[in-house]
Amino acid sequence: MAVRIEPSILSADFTALAAEVARIPSADLVHVDVMDNHFVPNLTFGLPMVERLLQVTDLPLDVHLMIDDPDRWAPGFAEAGAAVVTFHAEAAGDAVATARAIRAAGARPGIALKPGTAPDSVIERLDQVGQVLVMTVEPGFGGQAFQEDMLDKVARLRGAIGDRDVWLQVDGGIGPDTIRRARDAGADTFVAGSSVFGQEDPDAAVRRLRQLAER
Ligand code: DX5
Ligand code: ZN
């Protein structure tokens, strides 16, 4: 099974994002946390920033939308050129229609689950999505502790996904101490913010995470 490492620029220097992204050439994708201060109590950036980032890096972008009304906003990020657009199950009105619109615009559609959200609704829709994101912290902020009890949810989704082309992503508290457990539970796509951009050499941190996950 392929392993994908996605550094989250939430922990990067917002005044120098092009330079920050250039420091992680070993990454598979770049994780971009869009927050609206409604769905989560934090505010980051939106579509104009994503459009600009696409111009300054060749790495594919995975946009994690922590926003209300993704049905309205998500397809625009796909049209802009994001490789993956992930929205929250809790915020979506019609998750299947939104996933379809993202795919029609050329991106891989993802559905994210907050720690308190059961995986059942997503399990019924696995033929319509390209990624399931299991949040392993409450969304909103980097640097929080990994929630160990999310591993059961990951394992259940891994079993349900079977041989479908659906990436199983974990986001929150992923670092050298936790990535192996998430991998053993069945995750294949790993978001890491503070454990990458908090390091002197972020690309070495990416390579180390990959090594630990592939071991
Ligand atoms: C949190 C974001 C994460 C965040 C993870 O709501 O979705 O992507 O950047 O940060 P770390 O890896 O520091 O927990
Ligand atoms: Zn995220």
Side-chain angles (χ1 to χ4, degrees):
M1 215 189 323
V3 164
R4 281 168 292 268
I5 308 291
E6 276 189 20
S8 167
I9 57 166
L10 187 61
S11 294
D13 178 352
F14 280 10
T15 70
L17 284 179
E20 290 285 76
V21 169
R23 292 172 77 206
I24 48 162
S26 302
D28 296 284
L29 298 99
V30 178
H31 187 84
V32 182
D33 288 304
V34 172
M35 305 187 192
D36 68 351
N37 210 20
H38 289 266
F39 182 72
V40 287
N42 196 3
L43 182 64
T44 54
F45 33 67
L47 185 57
M49 178 72 90
V50 169
E51 287 172 335
R52 186 70 189 112
L53 261 182
L54 283 161
Q55 293 171 349
V56 299
T57 182
D58 292 330
L59 287 170
L61 304 189
D62 179 350
V63 176
H64 176 193
L65 297 174
M66 285 163 275
I67 62 171
D68 283 342
D69 202 7
D71 309 63
R72 175 173 174 195
W73 301 108
F77 289 85
E79 283 156 21
V84 187
V85 179
T86 300
F87 60 91
H88 270 266
E90 303 86 2
D94 186 340
V96 169
T98 298
R100 197 175 292 132
I102 291 168
R103 210 187 284 279
R108 176 179 287 264
I111 299 189
L113 303 171
K114 295 210 277 190
T117 304
D120 306 65
S121 68
V122 170
I123 285 173
E124 288 163 19
R125 292 166 186 160
L126 286 173
D127 289 326
Q128 275 82 47
V129 301
Q131 170 163 277
V132 180
L133 165 49
V134 175
M135 288 304 300
T136 43
V137 299
E138 283 301 331
F141 300 92
Q144 303 179 74
F146 179 76
Q147 294 187 15
E148 204 73 38
D149 53 343
M150 290 301 110
L151 292 175
D152 286 347
K153 197 192 285 189
V154 172
R156 201 171 146 215
L157 280 157
R158 171 49 60 205
I161 287 169
D163 58 8
R164 291 180 181 87
D165 176 26
V166 177
W167 299 355
L168 183 50
Q169 183 175 61
V170 283
D171 181 6
I174 296 295
D177 299 335
T178 51
I179 194 166
R180 189 64 233 181
R181 268 170 287 157
R183 171 71 175 164
D184 288 342
D188 56 20
T189 305
F190 304 90
V191 178
S194 47
S195 74
V196 168
F197 283 108
Q199 302 301 310
E200 193 99 1
D201 182 348
D203 202 57
V206 171
R207 294 194 303 269
R208 174 88 180 118
L209 288 173
R210 186 188 308 288
Q211 194 182 51
L212 289 167
E214 283 177 348
R215 192 181 60 200

